[in-house]
């Protein structure tokens, strides 16, 4: 589904100097309640062992042709939902119908038992989903090798292309499976973006490094990003680009102010670093950014939509609506999100295909009252796992690196502590809390805000033992 189809054509109409967020663009609330014109009228399903065969009958309920889209299929039993996969629904003329058939393997996380098959189009909601009348009985597939990887904060620290390739080599040599690139944060947008006005024409070039004339920070060009994307594909490592919304947008706002002016940006921001998710322009902007990043990293089948460290005043319902809308915006790609935007009361309304990178229950706050309040409302890893949500272990105690001077003693302690006390079931810092079953993967996250020197081979050498220890322990 295109950005224009999702939020309304013309959401950013006008010239670069005069454009304003279009008030006619669809609001988040309206989008979440909108019924998809391609309506699933019937779902039938059968199963044999781990295989689930599904047949969908789909009708275009409108009078005009609608473009091709993707329907997502889930196993559903009560509040539990497990993603089966997607099917492509071809473009349909007004009033036309079609039949789509698919075979998927039951996910290993789904226990043996009876499930309905749920089929959904558009933004995830009860209006856009239909369940099979009869249940299927499945046996789970053998648990797959854990998805393990590295996250690099390429927003706040500039990683040369050659160094990123070396991290890809590190993962390939040790059985890792993905590289997660955190591209945006308050301090910088680490990637070329025509949507934000961060282009090569507005940058200075020195020794192969582009530096924004607005933020004064270096960034990767789209050509460099494609070089990284191609290299990761050749090495068999999945690349996961992250555009963090709606928070951590201060650098993006600075770029947009330079392009459109302060009044334009004031219409879409809630504060100095967060989009106002209640206004149409915010949804339009975020959708354009996700559309752009999928073009920049064409081989990537997954997009991380951020969703961490929300500001106050945003309800649990507004957060889950935003996450579901962003999941729809990335179309047929898999979607990841941080855990701390998901409240316990909203878990059942979260699009089940969102894979949650679980880093902290309480955001590691030192304020005791805030800590207790967050734990009262936020979804725990147990809550998400019980609902069938797929989790990746980003435990901030064992798996986060916020390096400064690359102290070898710190690295050695971290590795020993991880090998002794961490597993894929360890979810709440170093509290000892364990999930009944392991998460499906993990990553070492290397954050850049405290680095005393730009990333180099020294950082690679310093972080390698931690990465290797995580991959080894996850497999054990």
């Amino acid at each position: 589904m295109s950005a224009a189809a999702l939020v309304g054509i013309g959401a950013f109409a006008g010239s670069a100097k005069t454009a304003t967020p279009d008030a006619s663009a669809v609001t988040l609330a309206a989008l979440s309640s909108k019924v998809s014109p391609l309506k699933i009228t019937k779902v039938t399903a059968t199963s044999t062992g781990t295989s689930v065969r599904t047949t969908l009958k789909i009708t275009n309920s409108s009078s005009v042709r609608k473009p091709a889209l993707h329907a997502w299929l889930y196993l559903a039993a009560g509040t539990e939902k497990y993603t089966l996969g997607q099917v492509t629904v071809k473009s349909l003329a007004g009033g036309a119908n079609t039949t789509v058939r698919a075979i998927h393997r039951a996910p290993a996380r789904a226990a043996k038992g009876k499930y309905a098959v749920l089929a959904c189009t558009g933004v995830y909601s009860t209006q856009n989903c239909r369940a099979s009348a009869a249940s299927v009985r499945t046996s789970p597939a053998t648990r797959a090798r854990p998805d393990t990887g590295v996250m690099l904060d390429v927003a706040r620290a500039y990683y040369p292309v050659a160094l990123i390739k070396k991290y890809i080599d590190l993962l390939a040599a040790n059985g890792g499976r993905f590289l997660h690139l955190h591209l945006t944060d308050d301090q910088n947008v680490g990637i070329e973006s025509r949507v934000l006005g961060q282009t090569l024409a507005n940058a200075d070039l020195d020794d192969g490094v582009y530096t924004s004339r607005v933020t004064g920070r270096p960034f990767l060009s789209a050509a460099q990003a494609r070089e990284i994307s191609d290299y990761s594909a050749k090495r068999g490592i999945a690349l996961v680009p992250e555009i963090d919304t709606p928070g951590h947008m201060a650098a993006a706002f600075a770029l947009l102010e330079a392009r459109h002016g302060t009044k334009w940006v004031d219409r879409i921001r809630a504060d100095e670093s967060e989009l106002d998710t209640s206004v149409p322009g915010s949804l339009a902007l975020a959708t354009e950014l996700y559309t752009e990043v999928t073009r920049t990293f064409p081989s990537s089948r997954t997009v991380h939509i951020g969703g961490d460290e929300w500001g106050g005043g945003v309800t649990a319902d507004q957060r889950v609506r935003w996450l579901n809308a962003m999941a729809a915006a990335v179309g047929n790609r898999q979607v990841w999100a941080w855990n701390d935007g998901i409240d316990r009361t909203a878990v059942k309304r979260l699009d089940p295909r969102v894979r949650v990178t679980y880093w902290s229950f309480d955001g590691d706050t030192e304020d005791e009252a805030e800590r207790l309040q967050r734990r009262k409302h936020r979804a725990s890893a147990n809550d998400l796992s019980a609902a069938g949500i797929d989790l990746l272990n980003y435990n901030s105690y064992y798996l986060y690196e916020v390096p400064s001077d690359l102290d070898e003693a710190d690295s050695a302690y971290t590795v020993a502590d991880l090998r002794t006390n961490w597993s894929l079931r360890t979810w709440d810092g170093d509290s000892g809390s364990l999930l009944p079953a392991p998460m499906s993967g993990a990553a070492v996250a290397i954050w850049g805000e405290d680095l005393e020197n730009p990333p180099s081979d020294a950082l690679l050498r310093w972080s390698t033992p931690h990465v290797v220890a995580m991959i080894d322990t996850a497999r054990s």
Side-chain angles (χ1 to χ4, degrees):
M1 182 178 294
S2 70
L6 184 64
V7 302
I9 295 173
F12 285 99
S15 70
K17 292 300 182 183
T18 62
T20 58
D22 187 350
S24 67
V26 181
T27 65
L28 185 60
L31 180 65
S32 300
S33 60
K34 185 178 181 180
V35 177
S36 173
L38 293 188
K39 184 178 180 181
I40 300 171
T41 58
K42 187 175 181 180
V43 181
T44 56
T46 60
S47 61
T48 305
T50 62
S51 296
V52 178
R53 293 172 173 81
T54 309
T55 301
L56 308 181
K57 292 188 179 299
I58 300 170
T59 297
N60 180 358
S61 58
S62 74
S63 60
V64 298
R65 176 174 289 277
K66 294 297 178 181
L69 54 70
H70 300 274
W72 287 85
L73 306 178
Y74 311 95
L75 293 178
T79 59
E80 296 180 48
K81 297 179 181 68
Y82 301 91
T83 303
L84 280 172
Q86 59 173 296
V87 295
T88 300
V89 181
K90 67 181 182 181
S91 175
L92 284 179
N97 57 69
T98 188
T99 299
V100 181
R101 295 179 176 84
I103 301 175
H104 293 93
R105 199 176 189 192
R109 296 175 297 106
K112 182 177 181 179
K114 292 176 64 177
Y115 297 90
V117 173
L118 189 68
C120 306
T121 58
V123 179
Y124 180 77
S125 66
T126 55
Q127 300 99 312
N128 289 333
C129 296
R130 190 177 185 91
S132 59
S135 298
V136 296
R137 185 176 293 276
T138 68
S139 298
T142 303
R143 185 169 292 277
R145 175 164 63 97
D147 288 333
T148 50
V150 167
M151 189 221 78
L152 298 179
D153 179 3
V154 298
R156 289 178 288 192
Y158 180 78
Y159 284 75
V161 172
L163 182 57
I164 295 175
K165 288 181 177 180
K166 289 179 181 179
Y167 272 100
I168 293 170
D169 292 338
L170 169 65
L171 291 166
N174 289 278
R177 306 188 78 171
F178 68 85
L179 179 66
H180 169 184
L181 297 179
H182 181 74
L183 295 168
T184 63
D185 217 298
D186 284 330
Q187 295 83 353
N188 188 37
V189 173
I191 191 73
E192 181 181 354
S193 170
R194 292 189 177 276
V195 173
L196 298 176
Q198 180 160 271
T199 63
L200 305 191
N202 295 325
D204 295 318
L205 177 63
D206 182 24
D207 197 24
V209 178
Y210 295 95
T211 300
S212 168
R213 296 185 190 129
V214 176
T215 64
R217 302 289 292 264
F219 63 91
L220 294 167
S221 70
Q224 290 169 330
R226 284 190 288 272
E227 181 181 347
I228 294 166
S229 183
D230 291 344
Y231 188 78
S232 67
K234 290 177 182 177
R235 298 289 281 140
I237 300 299
L239 199 64
V240 183
E242 177 191 352
I243 301 294
D244 198 354
T245 69
H248 296 292
M249 291 283 292
F253 288 159
L255 291 165
L256 287 168
E257 283 189 29
R259 187 181 186 198
H260 298 304
T262 301
K263 288 184 178 179
W264 191 97
V265 177
D266 284 344
R267 292 188 178 96
I268 61 172
R269 61 179 162 196
D271 58 33
E272 63 182 12
S273 63
E274 186 164 316
L275 287 167
D276 182 347
T277 61
S278 68
V279 300
S282 293
L283 180 63
L285 173 64
T287 303
E288 291 280 0
L289 288 170
Y290 292 123
T291 300
E292 181 179 53
V293 82
T294 59
R295 291 196 302 263
T296 303
F297 295 92
S299 68
S300 297
R301 303 312 306 161
T302 302
V303 174
H304 198 301
I305 59 174
D308 66 320
E309 297 180 335
W310 291 65
V314 184
T315 67
D317 182 65
Q318 287 172 322
R319 287 195 292 271
V320 77
R321 283 175 183 266
W322 179 268
L323 294 174
N324 288 349
M326 295 304 100
V330 302
N332 65 337
R333 286 167 170 78
Q334 296 180 22
V335 58
W336 296 4
W338 298 109
N339 70 280
D340 49 308
I342 308 167
D343 278 33
R344 185 174 291 112
T345 59
V347 171
K348 65 182 180 181
R349 300 196 301 280
L350 179 67
D351 189 329
R353 74 184 177 98
V354 175
R355 196 178 197 186
V356 174
T357 47
Y358 205 102
W359 71 281
S360 175
F361 195 5
D362 54 33
D364 297 345
T365 179
E366 296 181 0
D367 185 309
E368 183 62 17
E370 187 174 50
R371 175 180 178 274
L372 293 174
Q373 184 72 2
R374 289 177 176 180
R375 287 172 173 263
K376 179 180 178 181
H377 295 288
R378 287 183 179 176
S380 69
N382 281 304
D383 295 325
L384 293 164
S385 180
I389 299 297
D390 194 6
L391 301 176
L392 288 170
N393 199 315
Y394 275 60
N395 187 307
S396 62
Y397 182 83
Y398 292 106
L399 300 177
Y400 269 27
E401 294 283 10
V402 190
S404 55
D405 57 357
L406 306 186
D407 189 315
E408 294 294 340
D410 288 345
S411 177
Y413 175 83
T414 298
V415 169
D417 194 22
L418 181 149
R419 289 188 181 277
T420 302
N421 298 307
W422 176 82
S423 75
L424 286 174
R425 296 171 59 204
T426 308
W427 70 273
D428 189 13
D430 62 342
S431 67
S433 298
L434 299 175
L435 288 171
M439 298 189 196
S440 62
V444 170
I446 305 173
W447 297 99
E449 62 261 44
D450 290 345
L451 276 172
E452 294 180 356
N453 297 301
S456 65
D457 286 355
L459 177 61
L460 175 67
R461 289 191 297 271
W462 182 84
S463 58
T464 290
H466 193 185
V467 174
V468 173
M470 179 274 296
I471 294 173
D472 288 347
T473 306
R475 286 189 300 217
S476 63

